[in-house]
């Protein structure tokens, strides 16, 4: 049980920032109070979801493990309260990191939204065509293998036979067929769109991106050069 508790603590510490929050509905039942803070059933379940299925089962069926898990959540709540009491949440370095994390979260949300929209329109416009694409034939697979067999090797650099890689090649060829459908669709959209490319700005952006960064050697432990005539 001690090992279970240590693992649980390690997992929930990674999500400690999301512990405090308001819940509505049946999950707003307070399981424990810690000073002015409270841990609700929703908090408990949210943290429980981050555990492995095996540990979830242990907490769900073992009263002792369940109580230890709740005690760990109480401990995290108290640590967070102490951090705020010391004003660490107002610390300039912390505020800066918080803003960086916020921007990164917003960026990821924007990317996820774009991906959802991208996949939604492809499913709507191309889903039927993609579902009707024929499986790669044996001849297509062999032809692809013959053209690329010099590049088809395992991690140790050993050449692989057609039989060894046939399933992967079929998957690769099917992906290429789907990509061809997508490129045709994108091409049709480009034909109806007005597109202006600022080549100069593109080159400048890439020049800045590719500019080599100065090496930071501050972390290196440099030993002084031996004096001439020193014994070897």
């Amino acid at each position: 049980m001690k090992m279970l508790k240590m693992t649980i603590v390690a997992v929930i510490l990674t999500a400690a920032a999301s512990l405090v929050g308001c819940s509505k509905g049946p999950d707003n039942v307070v399981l424990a109070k810690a000073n002015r803070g409270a841990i609700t059933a929703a908090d408990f379940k949210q943290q429980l979801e981050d555990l492995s299925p095996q540990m979830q089962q242990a907490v769900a069926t073992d009263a002792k493990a369940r109580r230890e898990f709740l005690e760990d959540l109480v401990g995290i709540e108290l640590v967070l309260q102490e951090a705020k009491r010391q004003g660490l949440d107002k610390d300039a370095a912390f505020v800066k990191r918080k803003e960086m994390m916020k921007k990164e979260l917003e960026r990821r949300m924007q990317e996820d939204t774009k991906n959802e929209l991208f996949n939604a329109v492809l499913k709507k416009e191309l889903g039927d065509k993609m579902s009707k694409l024929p499986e790669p034939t044996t001849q297509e697979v062999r032809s692809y293998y013959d053209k690329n067999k010099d590049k088809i090797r395992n991690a140790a650099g050993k050449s692989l036979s057609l039989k060894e890689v046939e399933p992967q090649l079929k998957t690769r060829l099917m992906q290429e067929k789907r990509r061809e459908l997508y490129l045709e669709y994108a091409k049709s959209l480009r034909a109806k769109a007005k597109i202006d490319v600022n080549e100069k700005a593109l080159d400048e952006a890439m020049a800045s991106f590719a500019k080599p960064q100065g090496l930071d050697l501050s972390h290196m432990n440099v030993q002084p050069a031996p004096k001439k005539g020193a014994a070897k």
Side-chain angles (χ1 to χ4, degrees), residues 81-146:
Q81 289 181 16
E82 177 61 18
K84 291 181 178 180
R85 187 191 70 79
Q86 295 183 21
L88 296 180
D89 57 326
K90 303 295 191 301
D91 179 76
F94 173 79
V95 172
K96 183 177 180 180
R97 289 196 301 271
K98 182 179 178 181
E99 286 301 314
M100 291 177 62
M101 289 187 291
K102 182 179 178 181
K103 290 180 180 178
E104 176 62 18
L105 180 59
E106 291 175 349
R107 186 191 67 79
R108 290 184 181 181
M109 290 179 65
Q110 290 175 355
E111 289 300 315
D112 288 343
T113 299
K114 289 180 181 179
N115 288 335
E116 286 294 325
L117 284 172
F118 183 85
N119 291 327
V121 73
L122 290 189
K123 181 178 180 181
K124 179 176 181 293
E125 299 293 332
L126 304 177
D128 187 53
K129 291 181 180 180
M130 286 188 177
S131 66
K132 294 178 180 178
L133 283 173
E135 290 287 331
T137 64
T138 301
Q139 182 57 41
E140 286 176 329
V141 174
R142 177 171 291 280
S143 177
Y144 184 90
Y145 175 80
D146 289 340

Side-chain angles (χ1 to χ4, degrees), residues 126 129 179-189:
L126 304 177
K129 291 181 180 180
R179 176 170 173 77
E180 287 174 4
L181 275 180
Y182 158 71
L183 291 176
E184 290 177 4
Y185 176 65
K187 185 177 180 180
S188 70
L189 294 178

Side-chain angles (χ1 to χ4, degrees), residues 32-176:
K33 292 183 177 180
N35 298 323
R36 295 185 178 182
I39 297 170
T40 66
D43 297 327
F44 190 91
K45 292 177 181 178
Q46 180 182 351
Q47 300 301 323
L48 187 61
E49 289 175 355
D50 291 332
L51 302 180
S52 68
Q54 183 179 7
M55 288 191 287
Q56 288 180 9
Q57 182 67 16
V59 173
T61 58
D62 189 317
K64 184 178 179 181
R66 188 159 54 250
R67 181 59 182 270
E68 288 180 347
F69 185 65
L70 180 59
E71 288 177 355
D72 289 333
L73 297 183
V74 170
I76 289 176
E77 170 64 20
L78 292 175
V79 171
L80 291 173
Q81 289 181 16
E82 177 61 18
K84 291 181 178 180
R85 187 191 70 79
Q86 295 183 21
L88 296 180
D89 57 326
K90 303 295 191 301
D91 179 76
F94 173 79
V95 172
K96 183 177 180 180
R97 289 196 301 271
K98 182 179 178 181
E99 286 301 314
M100 291 177 62
M101 289 187 291
K102 182 179 178 181
K103 290 180 180 178
E104 176 62 18
L105 180 59
E106 291 175 349
R107 186 191 67 79
R108 290 184 181 181
M109 290 179 65
Q110 290 175 355
E111 289 300 315
D112 288 343
T113 299
K114 289 180 181 179
N115 288 335
E116 286 294 325
L117 284 172
F118 183 85
N119 291 327
V121 73
L122 290 189
K123 181 178 180 181
K124 179 176 181 293
E125 299 293 332
L126 304 177
D128 187 53
K129 291 181 180 180
M130 286 188 177
S131 66
K132 294 178 180 178
L133 283 173
E135 290 287 331
T137 64
T138 301
Q139 182 57 41
E140 286 176 329
V141 174
R142 177 171 291 280
S143 177
Y144 184 90
Y145 175 80
D146 289 340
K147 291 179 181 178
N148 299 278
K149 60 182 178 181
D150 291 339
K151 305 174 186 177
I152 301 176
R153 302 174 181 274
N154 61 14
K158 179 184 176 182
S159 296
L160 298 172
S161 67
L162 174 59
K163 185 177 181 180
E164 291 176 300
V165 296
E166 187 173 3
Q168 293 92 324
L169 294 185
K170 284 185 176 180
T171 299
R172 174 66 179 269
L173 287 171
M174 181 57 73
Q175 290 174 342
E176 290 187 357

